[in-house]
């Protein structure tokens, strides 16, 4: 599912046909960065995607990396780790110690690291971080809530936040 599809659905929730058209225009102009309310809508999407990934449905990855000195720097990973879940060598799970920028391992060797990560900054024409695991409806309810909060429309935002929280259950 594309990010633009979630943004369009959120704009429809808000009853904003002008914003639906603006999102479609911004998508057609990609890779140029969106501006105005479309940029705000995309920022709201980023907030929602991060909340879902960090607090509710963590994104997981596994990578096999070589360590020459018993450490693995996080900058070597394809995605910045949020939480390291496990580390294995060829014989099974091994103990590790996590530091802010690296892992300390029992020694040199090849290790498979399973970890959670935060989504990359979204692009209007990009795929959502969740693919088919999370519905466009769930994400769009959260985006509508954040957009209304940014506009100072707190009572309406509360309605969409309740829909978002209910969809997370």
């Amino acid at each position: 599912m594309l990010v633009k599809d979630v943004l369009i659905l959120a704009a429809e929730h808000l009853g904003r046909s002008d914003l639906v058209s603006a999102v479609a225009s911004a998508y057609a102009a990609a890779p140029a960065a969106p501006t105005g309310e479309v940029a705000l809508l995309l920022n709201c999407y980023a907030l929602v995607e991060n909340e879902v990934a960090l607090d509710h449905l963590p994104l997981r990855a596994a990578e096999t990396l070589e360590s020459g000195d018993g450490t693995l720097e996080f900058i070597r990973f394809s995605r910045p780790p949020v939480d390291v879940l496990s580390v294995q060598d060829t014989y099974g799970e091994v103990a590790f110690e996590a530091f802010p920028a690296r892992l300390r391992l029992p020694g040199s060797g090849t290790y498979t690291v399973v970890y959670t990560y935060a989504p990359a900054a979204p692009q209007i024409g990009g795929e959502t971080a969740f693919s088919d695991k999370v519905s466009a409806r769930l994400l769009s309810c959260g985006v509508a809530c954040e957009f209304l909060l940014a506009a100072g429309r707190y009572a309406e935002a509360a309605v969409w936040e309740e829909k978002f929280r209910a969809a997370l259950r």
Side-chain angles (χ1 to χ4, degrees), residues 119-144:
Q123 303 296 318
I124 196 163
E127 290 282 333
T128 66
F130 301 103
S131 191
D132 294 330
K133 296 177 186 175
V134 174
S135 72
R137 179 186 169 281
L138 182 150
L139 294 170
S140 66
C141 288
V143 172

Side-chain angles (χ1 to χ4, degrees), residues 3 7 33-51 121-124 142-144 146-147 150:
V3 171
L7 300 184
T35 59
E37 287 188 310
V38 176
L40 176 59
L41 206 58
L42 186 60
N43 287 339
C44 293
Y45 173 83
L47 291 171
V48 171
E49 188 175 59
N50 274 315
E51 179 181 343
Q123 303 296 318
I124 196 163
V143 172
E146 293 294 338
F147 188 86

Side-chain angles (χ1 to χ4, degrees), residues 88-143:
Q88 295 184 345
D89 63 10
T90 55
Y91 303 106
E93 201 151 326
V94 298
F96 65 90
E97 191 172 359
F99 293 93
R102 64 184 167 85
L103 289 177
R104 182 182 304 156
L105 304 163
S108 62
T110 302
Y111 295 93
T112 299
V113 181
V114 178
Y115 62 96
T116 62
Y117 62 92
Q123 303 296 318
I124 196 163
E127 290 282 333
T128 66
F130 301 103
S131 191
D132 294 330
K133 296 177 186 175
V134 174
S135 72
R137 179 186 169 281
L138 182 150
L139 294 170
S140 66
C141 288
V143 172

Side-chain angles (χ1 to χ4, degrees), residues 6-69:
V6 175
L7 300 184
I8 287 172
L9 190 55
E12 289 171 349
H13 292 329
L14 297 167
R16 296 279 310 272
S17 59
D18 62 320
L19 194 50
V20 170
S21 298
V23 169
S25 296
Y27 174 72
T35 59
E37 287 188 310
V38 176
L40 176 59
L41 206 58
L42 186 60
N43 287 339
C44 293
Y45 173 83
L47 291 171
V48 171
E49 188 175 59
N50 274 315
E51 179 181 343
V52 173
L54 298 177
D55 298 339
H56 304 285
L57 300 167
L59 299 168
R60 291 177 180 232
E63 291 189 47
T64 301
L65 301 165
E66 185 76 30
S67 172
D69 62 357

